[in-house]
Amino acid sequence: MTETKIPYKIYLEESEMPRTWYNVRADMKIKPAPLLNPGTGKPCTAEQLGAVFCDELVKQELDDTTREFEIPEEILGFYRMYRPSPLVRAYRLEEKLDTPAKIYYKFEGNNTSGSHKLNSAIAQAYYAKQQGLKGVTTETGAGQWGTALSMACAYLGLDCKVYMVKCSYEQKPFRREVMRTYGASVTPSPSMTTEVGRRILAEDPDTTGSLGCAISEAVEDATTHEGYRYVLGSVLNQVLLHQSVIGVETKIAMDKYGIVPDIIIGCAGGGSNLGGLISPFMGEMLRGEREYEFIAVEPASCPSLTRGVFAYDFCDTGKVCPLAKMYTLGSGFIPSANHAGGLRYHGMSPVLSELYHEGLIKARSVEQTKVFEAAEFFARTEGILPAPESSHAIRAAIDEAVKCRETGEDKTILFGLTGTGYFDMVAYEKFNDGTMDDYIPSDAELEASFAQLPRF
Amino acid sequence: MTETKIPYKIYLEESEMPRTWYNVRADMKIKPAPLLNPGTGKPCTAEQLGAVFCDELVKQELDDTTREFEIPEEILGFYRMYRPSPLVRAYRLEEKLDTPAKIYYKFEGNNTSGSHKLNSAIAQAYYAKQQGLKGVTTETGAGQWGTALSMACAYLGLDCKVYMVKCSYEQKPFRREVMRTYGASVTPSPSMTTEVGRRILAEDPDTTGSLGCAISEAVEDATTHEGYRYVLGSVLNQVLLHQSVIGVETKIAMDKYGIVPDIIIGCAGGGSNLGGLISPFMGEMLRGEREYEFIAVEPASCPSLTRGVFAYDFCDTGKVCPLAKMYTLGSGFIPSANHAGGLRYHGMSPVLSELYHEGLIKARSVEQTKVFEAAEFFARTEGILPAPESSHAIRAAIDEAVKCRETGEDKTILFGLTGTGYFDMVAYEKFNDGTMDDYIPSDAELEASFAQLPRF
């Protein structure tokens, strides 16, 4: 092995780790549209948002000009427990694919929450603690976000109430137990503990729940209990800001070894991972310093970018949250029950939506059996058992590497490996048994959902 | 933060990683007793062992004089996929315990098998492949070893047949699915596919199985199928040799920062982790270069070191394997069904048994509720959700750190954090629900088991 060979895994030294988050909005010429108050149809004020979110987080949410935010020392201390995450050169994958492409992935799954969600969870919990709050409420779907928030709250001594989408609560009892081990209370949603939960259950007693519905319950809980605020694991500007630590670390590591990616790929549900990973690279492109190809990969069963509309919509099913301008399938859209691959949110981060609208990001959708094929191949080749969500990015990275094999191009491909699939074995079992199938919503189904969009 | 501060996590550079395994037997004045052929009562020959194990592994098993074994390049390549493992300074744990002790742990759980088992799995699979075999058979209890072997076999393109202790097979369907995802076949043991399985089922149709019984089945399967050999995840000399990579890496990292541990702690089931972690340190002590305090921690429900006898015994329940001289509870001993904390093997590595017999290692047993208390505390403090097995070492490390608080000594404590508990949530759920209890075998129970020991 020669000195100049890129290591299998690049770990930054502690002294090289980022000390600031990067706010990509500062470099956007067209800013993401503001959140609207559903009552007035006007942009939400800091005061209105402060009833739901912590004050400091409201500031971050509304600030589209400050380029860098210093990461508080206590958050850096927490980051040091599980960061830096490795930037891995997928030598073995390249070899198996017989591709001239160079493939790198930033692996965010080496922590107990099993995903990148911890990066924003600790930040949000920290600001809640700083504000002297008792605790926070949130929703969780697949469970990564709830687990991450439980860990962060346990670390800081904050109370943590999690509304978990009912079908996940039942299918993933182990996720629930991890959260309980970290001291969180976990309630299946919709529940009878909130007004919005009771209303949704009255309309459809057999509903298996949705992220949008769990959000409504968590927001109601926070706004009706003294000393609580609501926190959200994706979609929001503040979340992308915190998640920029992924991209900034990646960029420092790549710069250190003189690596320049041609293509940057991430899975996209609400957009937190993709937004975080691409931020500093997108910043360079927005400032005219360099060109990159960005690809968002979403499930064919929940295709907000590729088949949604760019419009103001509610962030939640219960319509208690502000409206965001985003690519959306409609806040009532719920992916088919046979969809096992995560990324179930009906909308997309306003930042990413705006960038996509301007043509700065490409998007593609993939069917879940193809995603699990990629996941299995990756597991056997690179060792890591990936989360279904992350496997959307793996699918696209493999497809791009295969294209390079055909064209002979030696492109450098970077993708985000957001997490591990240890709690997704029910889905893997379906795939192993050959009983997994695909679902693609019909145009009529989407049209019906779009017809319900609010008019703003 | 000053330049000389020990980082939270020490990762070796690729160029610093060990290229040899260290064989502690070379430095032992009294060598571990040889394996005996149960038919003749004489030491097993290489030829006899070659019917069960791969030839190269037999050589390693029998070699008690070569101090260092070069790690083959292909194994180094695999190691680079998930190693180096971090040596973590538990700053937060020290702070929470308010102890002057300095606590370090070597974390082996950052890979999909979730434990250190992968270190030996890849080595054993590699030598099987080198020998031109079709595949390997093995047993697994909690599932870490089976998962690790599946991963190694998938990497090398070998067939992998796993006999999984029936109660684990049923309680841990997700472990089974991980193995299947890596292409292994998984059979609950005892099964009707082997003679020994049928015999054990005839004697006790309701048995939930045991490691010893699954070993018998896997050995029979290997020896009755052309092109297969049996591999074992612990106990054997060869396994300790491969696992020495843990200790060697730890020592390189500690030497780099001038850290000298006073106490080295590991959980002990069959001894693979403890033996691997302590090897190079024990080597120094055996050569008279330095003194350390070594502590083996075992479950009170399966106390082979603290309450077993040092005698020749069968390695398996079916009595088809060679006999090993070791601390044992008797090959028929099965820990109580309420025991959830792993480390269920009836015996202990002959190397560790001999070292313990000479007073070079201390041992203590701990009850599982105390173990899970330590696990939960550790999870909330250090972020990582530990495996129940590893939590035995955490328990002892915390106890030692608390002693330091009382005496004011600033000892340096090193322990092995062998793995993560993501597949042990049934046990955590019991603990969270307050329904976990302890079991300590009675003297009469152990005496009855000892009475069944073979006379050699």
Side-chain angles (χ1 to χ4, degrees):
Chain A
M1 194 166 53
T2 64
E3 281 301 299
T4 53
K5 194 183 170 196
I6 306 293
Y8 277 64
K9 296 194 292 295
I10 305 174
Y11 283 107
L12 297 182
E13 302 284 330
E14 257 178 45
S15 58
E16 298 169 319
M17 281 170 67
R19 304 187 68 86
T20 52
W21 291 307
Y22 167 67
N23 182 13
V24 73
R25 287 168 290 162
D27 284 312
M28 289 170 72
K29 275 168 210 87
I30 306 172
K31 307 291 183 188
L35 295 172
L36 296 189
N37 181 320
T40 65
K42 289 188 180 151
C44 292
T45 63
E47 197 188 340
Q48 286 163 349
L49 290 173
V52 179
F53 301 113
C54 306
D55 297 343
E56 196 60 34
L57 293 167
V58 169
K59 276 190 211 163
Q60 296 180 353
E61 190 64 30
L62 297 176
D63 187 336
D64 55 15
T65 54
T66 304
R67 186 172 277 148
E68 304 215 316
F69 285 77
E70 206 162 306
I71 307 175
E73 191 51 48
E74 194 161 359
I75 298 176
L76 286 175
F78 189 84
Y79 279 174
R80 280 192 286 264
M81 286 171 54
Y82 69 99
R83 307 199 68 83
S85 72
L87 176 68
V88 184
R89 172 74 184 268
Y91 282 115
R92 172 82 176 171
L93 189 62
E94 294 169 14
E95 190 187 313
K96 277 269 192 178
L97 294 172
D98 190 23
T99 177
K102 296 174 190 72
I103 309 174
Y104 293 86
Y105 55 92
K106 179 72 167 168
F107 179 39
E108 292 287 321
N110 264 352
N111 68 70
T112 287
S113 79
S115 84
H116 67 293
K117 296 284 184 181
L118 206 47
N119 301 328
S120 186
I122 184 61
Q124 297 192 48
Y126 169 80
Y127 291 116
K129 176 90 176 177
Q130 284 297 100
Q131 198 173 321
L133 298 175
K134 283 186 217 160
V136 291
T137 72
T138 199
E139 79 299 328
T140 199
Q144 284 103 327
W145 168 246
T147 310
L149 190 67
S150 307
M151 289 172 67
C153 287
Y155 184 81
L156 296 169
L158 274 180
D159 189 31
C160 181
K161 299 193 216 175
V162 180
Y163 288 86
M164 186 169 188
V165 178
K166 193 185 277 175
C167 63
S168 291
Y169 183 89
E170 284 159 7
Q171 282 171 17
K172 299 191 171 190
F174 294 170
R175 272 279 180 210
R176 180 189 72 212
E177 289 308 320
V178 179
M179 290 185 257
R180 286 183 69 207
T181 300
Y182 282 94
S185 72
V186 188
T187 307
S189 167
S191 74
M192 296 300 283
T193 58
T194 65
E195 209 176 297
V196 63
R198 289 190 290 273
R199 196 176 79 214
I200 291 168
L201 281 171
E203 282 169 18
D204 181 3
D206 297 326
T207 180
T208 55
S210 71
L211 261 186
C213 159
I215 293 174
S216 304
E217 289 205 87
V219 170
E220 181 184 321
D221 188 327
T223 50
T224 54
H225 290 90
E226 182 74 26
Y228 283 82
R229 289 294 185 283
Y230 167 72
V231 296
L232 178 64
S234 191
V235 183
L236 297 173
N237 301 334
Q238 60 189 263
V239 178
L240 265 70
L241 174 68
H242 307 147
Q243 294 296 356
S244 72
V245 72
I246 304 171
V248 176
E249 249 186 42
T250 304
K251 185 130 185 25
I252 293 171
M254 290 195 138
D255 287 349
K256 183 174 173 180
Y257 286 91
I259 307 158
V260 181
D262 297 296
I263 307 175
I264 303 177
I265 298 169
C267 62
S272 70
N273 146 69
L274 179 69
L277 175 66
I278 71 173
S279 275
F281 300 96
M282 179 60 80
E284 282 184 301
M285 192 151 103
L286 290 167
R287 295 190 302 270
E289 295 163 12
R290 198 168 246 159
E291 291 285 311
Y292 297 101
E293 183 178 354
F294 299 102
I295 305 175
V297 192
E298 58 185 14
S301 51
C302 192
S304 56
L305 285 174
T306 51
R307 296 179 67 200
V309 292
F310 190 38
Y312 266 107
D313 192 11
F314 288 96
C315 293
D316 65 325
T317 312
K319 304 183 179 179
V320 301
C321 285
L323 297 147
K325 191 172 178 197
M326 57 185 177
Y327 277 85
T328 179
L329 299 166
S331 66
F333 181 84
I334 296 181
S336 158
N338 87 339
H339 174 65
L343 310 174
R344 306 174 144 264
Y345 190 62
H346 66 275
M348 180 58 65
S349 136
V351 169
L352 292 182
S353 291
E354 177 57 38
L355 292 168
Y356 178 65
H357 192 64
E358 294 176 39
L360 298 167
I361 297 175
K362 295 177 186 173
R364 68 179 64 159
S365 73
V366 286
E367 294 170 26
Q368 72 175 353
T369 51
K370 297 284 178 201
V371 167
F372 275 83
E373 275 170 23
E376 188 196 80
F377 181 73
F378 183 83
R380 294 186 184 185
T381 307
E382 288 286 315
I384 298 166
L385 186 83
E389 293 83 358
S390 324
S391 305
H392 289 73
I394 297 174
R395 174 77 270 166
I398 290 176
D399 292 345
E400 291 301 314
V402 168
K403 273 188 219 164
C404 286
R405 180 176 68 205
E406 287 156 8
T407 63
E409 290 173 289
D410 62 345
K411 287 187 181 173
T412 295
I413 299 168
L414 164 67
F415 72 90
L417 187 69
T418 53
T420 50
Y422 308 144
F423 292 93
D424 299 285
M425 296 318 297
V426 170
Y428 271 98
E429 184 172 13
K430 270 191 198 165
F431 179 73
N432 291 336
D433 289 342
T435 58
M436 175 173 278
D437 51 14
D438 296 315
Y439 176 79
I440 300 178
S442 68
D443 288 341
E445 188 184 336
L446 292 183
E447 286 304 327
S449 185
F450 297 151
Q452 305 297 318
L453 284 170
R455 316 261 161 229
F456 282 93
Chain B
M1 194 168 51
T2 64
E3 283 298 298
T4 53
K5 193 182 170 197
I6 307 292
Y8 277 64
K9 295 194 293 294
I10 304 174
Y11 283 107
L12 296 182
E13 302 283 331
E14 257 177 46
S15 59
E16 298 168 316
M17 280 169 68
R19 304 186 69 84
T20 53
W21 291 306
Y22 166 67
N23 182 12
V24 73
R25 286 168 291 162
D27 284 311
M28 288 170 72
K29 276 169 210 87
I30 307 172
K31 308 291 182 187
L35 296 172
L36 294 189
N37 180 320
T40 65
K42 289 188 182 150
C44 292
T45 63
E47 199 186 340
Q48 287 164 348
L49 289 173
V52 179
F53 301 113
C54 306
D55 298 342
E56 197 61 33
L57 293 167
V58 170
K59 276 191 213 162
Q60 295 180 352
E61 190 65 27
L62 296 176
D63 187 337
D64 55 16
T65 54
T66 304
R67 187 171 276 147
E68 304 215 315
F69 284 78
E70 207 163 304
I71 307 174
E73 190 51 50
E74 194 160 359
I75 298 176
L76 286 175
F78 189 85
Y79 279 174
R80 281 191 286 265
M81 285 170 56
Y82 69 99
R83 307 200 68 83
S85 73
L87 176 67
V88 185
R89 172 75 184 267
Y91 282 115
R92 173 82 177 169
L93 190 62
E94 294 169 15
E95 190 187 312
K96 276 268 193 179
L97 294 173
D98 189 22
T99 176
K102 296 174 190 71
I103 308 173
Y104 293 86
Y105 54 93
K106 180 71 167 169
F107 179 39
E108 291 288 321
N110 263 353
N111 68 72
T112 287
S113 79
S115 84
H116 67 293
K117 296 284 184 182
L118 207 47
N119 301 328
S120 186
I122 184 62
Q124 297 192 48
Y126 169 80
Y127 292 116
K129 176 91 175 174
Q130 285 296 101
Q131 198 172 321
L133 298 176
K134 283 184 216 161
V136 290
T137 73
T138 199
E139 79 297 329
T140 199
Q144 284 104 327
W145 169 246
T147 310
L149 191 67
S150 307
M151 290 172 67
C153 287
Y155 184 81
L156 295 168
L158 273 181
D159 190 30
C160 180
K161 299 194 218 175
V162 180
Y163 288 85
M164 186 169 186
V165 178
K166 192 184 277 174
C167 64
S168 291
Y169 184 90
E170 285 159 5
Q171 283 172 16
K172 300 191 171 188
F174 294 170
R175 271 280 179 208
R176 180 188 74 213
E177 288 309 320
V178 178
M179 291 184 256
R180 287 182 70 205
T181 301
Y182 281 94
S185 72
V186 188
T187 307
S189 167
S191 75
M192 295 300 282
T193 59
T194 65
E195 211 177 295
V196 63
R198 289 189 291 272
R199 197 177 75 214
I200 290 167
L201 281 172
E203 282 168 20
D204 181 3
D206 298 326
T207 179
T208 54
S210 71
L211 260 187
C213 160
I215 293 173
S216 303
E217 290 204 87
V219 169
E220 181 184 321
D221 188 328
T223 50
T224 54
H225 290 90
E226 182 74 27
Y228 284 81
R229 290 294 184 284
Y230 166 71
V231 297
L232 178 64
S234 191
V235 183
L236 296 173
N237 301 333
Q238 60 189 265
V239 178
L240 265 70
L241 175 68
H242 308 145
Q243 293 296 358
S244 71
V245 72
I246 305 172
V248 176
E249 250 186 43
T250 304
K251 184 128 188 25
I252 294 171
M254 290 196 138
D255 286 349
K256 184 174 173 180
Y257 286 91
I259 307 159
V260 181
D262 298 295
I263 307 175
I264 304 178
I265 299 168
C267 61
S272 70
N273 147 68
L274 179 70
L277 175 66
I278 70 172
S279 275
F281 300 97
M282 179 60 79
E284 283 184 300
M285 193 150 102
L286 290 167
R287 296 190 301 271
E289 295 163 12
R290 199 169 246 160
E291 292 285 313
Y292 298 102
E293 183 179 355
F294 300 103
I295 305 175
V297 192
E298 57 185 15
S301 51
C302 192
S304 55
L305 285 175
T306 50
R307 297 179 65 200
V309 292
F310 190 38
Y312 266 108
D313 193 11
F314 288 96
C315 292
D316 64 324
T317 312
K319 304 185 179 178
V320 301
C321 285
L323 296 147
K325 191 173 178 195
M326 56 184 179
Y327 278 85
T328 179
L329 298 166
S331 66
F333 180 84
I334 296 180
S336 159
N338 87 339
H339 173 64
L343 310 173
R344 305 174 144 264
Y345 189 63
H346 66 274
M348 180 58 65
S349 137
V351 170
L352 292 181
S353 292
E354 177 57 38
L355 293 167
Y356 177 64
H357 192 63
E358 294 176 39
L360 297 166
I361 297 175
K362 296 177 185 173
R364 67 178 66 160
S365 73
V366 287
E367 294 170 26
Q368 70 175 354
T369 50
K370 298 284 178 200
V371 167
F372 276 83
E373 275 170 22
E376 188 196 81
F377 181 74
F378 184 83
R380 294 185 182 185
T381 307
E382 288 286 314
I384 298 166
L385 186 82
E389 293 82 359
S390 325
S391 304
H392 289 73
I394 297 173
R395 173 78 269 164
I398 289 175
D399 292 345
E400 291 300 315
V402 168
K403 274 188 220 165
C404 286
R405 181 177 66 207
E406 287 157 9
T407 62
E409 289 173 290
D410 62 345
K411 287 187 181 173
T412 296
I413 300 168
L414 164 67
F415 72 91
L417 187 69
T418 54
T420 49
Y422 309 144
F423 292 92
D424 299 286
M425 296 319 296
V426 170
Y428 272 99
E429 183 173 12
K430 269 191 199 163
F431 179 73
N432 290 337
D433 289 343
T435 58
M436 176 173 278
D437 52 15
D438 296 316
Y439 176 79
I440 300 178
S442 67
D443 288 340
E445 187 182 337
L446 293 183
E447 286 304 327
S449 185
F450 297 150
Q452 304 298 317
L453 283 170
R455 315 258 162 232
F456 282 93

